Amino acid sequence: MTSSLKDQAARWVDQGGGAEALNDWLQASPEHRRAYDQIDQTMRDPALVEAMRLHDARPKVVGLRPQARAGAFTRPVRGWTPALAAALVAGLLLAGVLSAPPLRERLYPVAAPRSPLLVATAPGQLRTITLSDGSRIHLNGDTRLSLAQQGGGRHARLIRGEALFDIRHDPARPFVLALDHGSLTDLGTTFNVSISGDQAAVQVYSGTVRLKGETGVATLNANQQADLTRGVVGSVSGFDAQAGDWRSGWIEARDWPLHRVVEALRRRSGVDIVVASPALESKRITGRVRLDTPREDLDALADLHGFVVRERSDGLVLTQGG
């Protein structure tokens, strides 16, 4: 690994630059990922904690350096500069010293909060983003998500749509997902959240999350699910995590309202689908549904549940049978 590549990785760890730009840099080469992970791990080393403690305890001696122009001086040099930090990181890497609590906040001055990054997909479009810590977020179609770092933690808000989160757990930098009228806190997990109307459905594939609403709190483990409806946390139930998720092109509907099935079809296929009546929207559906063939799936469901599927110029409309 070249010193130039280490310098680039150190700048990304130090300065960030936005999740999209970082994701592009990490995906460009496996060497980029290895360099980034090494720098990031080293910043968490216990030896670095002790070095920072001793540095902070030292009396500060400030000097002035003359500029080329007579009478001009630079600002006093204080604290740890990125160049000094990169040199220390490189030294620790050579010594083979790795792993420990996050130290980036100690190594660099605290920067002003960055504006949240908004990530969005169109209906039928899928997207995966990689966060600076290696966590991945998979966005389904017609989804909007904002990302931000606040107070050393990792924060996101799912504004609409559906996303599957594969999060690297870090007790010192918790990942918190905000929802309308509630939130999720990751305790080391892979979980999916789908928003339909005023309800957010949460399914945990591995690890644990804590779901908190305006009314109620639930801890969900692998193979468990719960809904958050208008701020109220629903009861916890089981599901088969081995059946896969929407990324496979299928969903397993278990007593879902029809509007939730339609939402899943619309997101993945990009086909506009309208349910003509509230009574039809609430019809309960159970079964395995393929997401990229909405007309065929809805025709099969219509035969079972007594509604009608009609085509129109901009998509499909579902009406009561009769």
Side-chain angles (χ1 to χ4, degrees):
M1 187 184 302
T2 66
S3 60
S4 173
L5 186 54
K6 286 182 182 177
D7 288 343
Q8 292 178 44
R11 290 192 187 97
W12 279 113
V13 172
D14 170 41
Q15 299 171 2
E20 285 190 86
L22 174 58
N23 184 57
D24 290 342
W25 187 81
L26 291 173
Q27 299 291 341
S29 166
E31 288 293 323
H32 289 188
R33 164 65 65 187
R34 281 192 286 271
Y36 185 94
D37 286 346
Q38 277 192 317
I39 297 291
D40 185 56
Q41 283 183 298
T42 304
M43 302 281 270
R44 305 165 185 264
D45 187 81
L48 206 51
V49 176
E50 180 64 10
M52 295 300 98
R53 186 189 68 78
L54 293 173
H55 177 271
D56 289 347
R58 281 174 27 182
K60 301 300 186 290
V61 178
V62 176
L64 298 176
R65 294 181 293 166
Q67 293 275 41
R69 181 171 56 84
F73 295 90
T74 61
R75 286 186 177 182
V77 178
R78 289 180 283 182
W80 290 88
T81 66
L84 180 57
L88 178 57
V89 165
L92 287 171
L93 283 174
L94 290 174
V97 183
L98 294 171
S99 83
L103 303 174
R104 182 177 170 213
E105 290 80 6
R106 299 287 313 277
L107 192 60
Y108 300 110
V110 177
R114 297 174 187 143
S115 298
L117 172 68
L118 181 64
V119 185
T121 57
Q125 178 190 15
L126 308 183
R127 186 174 181 183
T128 296
I129 58 174
T130 302
L131 305 185
S132 61
D133 62 357
S135 298
R136 290 176 177 265
I137 303 176
H138 307 273
L139 280 71
N140 202 345
D142 195 25
T143 295
R144 289 172 65 87
L145 175 81
S146 67
L147 296 165
Q149 291 190 16
Q150 302 172 11
R154 300 165 293 168
H155 295 257
R157 172 175 285 276
L158 187 58
I159 301 167
R160 76 162 183 251
E162 180 172 29
L164 187 139
F165 300 80
D166 187 4
I167 303 300
R168 287 190 179 183
H169 184 53
D170 184 343
R173 299 177 62 237
F175 182 88
V176 179
L177 178 67
L179 302 166
D180 284 349
H181 310 295
S183 64
L184 279 164
T185 301
D186 158 66
L187 303 178
T189 188
T190 299
F191 63 95
N192 190 79
V193 182
S194 174
I195 295 175
S196 182
D198 54 12
Q199 183 178 79
V202 181
Q203 294 180 312
V204 179
Y205 287 84
S206 67
T208 305
V209 299
R210 182 175 295 112
L211 174 61
K212 181 179 180 181
E214 294 171 346
T215 303
V217 178
T219 298
L220 306 180
N221 299 309
N223 299 290
Q224 291 186 324
Q225 60 185 353
D227 296 333
L228 177 68
T229 307
R230 294 186 294 275
V232 178
V233 176
S235 60
V236 177
S237 63
F239 79 102
D240 183 11
Q242 300 303 315
D245 56 72
W246 54 265
R247 294 175 300 170
S248 68
W250 294 82
I251 55 170
E252 192 76 34
R254 295 192 176 185
D255 197 35
W256 287 14
L258 179 59
H259 72 80
R260 182 175 171 185
V261 175
V262 165
E263 188 74 15
L265 288 167
R266 188 180 64 81
R267 284 188 192 124
R268 183 60 184 266
S269 69
V271 175
D272 187 38
I273 307 169
V274 174
V275 183
S277 73
L280 187 55
E281 283 188 334
S282 61
K283 187 176 288 292
R284 313 306 291 188
I285 304 295
T286 296
R288 190 165 170 80
V289 180
R290 183 171 172 174
L291 295 173
D292 59 356
T293 55
R295 179 60 198 257
E296 291 85 345
D297 289 317
L298 289 172
D299 280 341
L301 291 173
D303 290 340
L304 287 172
H305 296 282
F307 60 88
V308 178
V309 182
R310 293 190 174 91
E311 288 192 15
R312 61 182 189 181
S313 60
D314 57 349
L316 303 173
V317 59
L318 312 186
T319 59
Q320 294 279 14

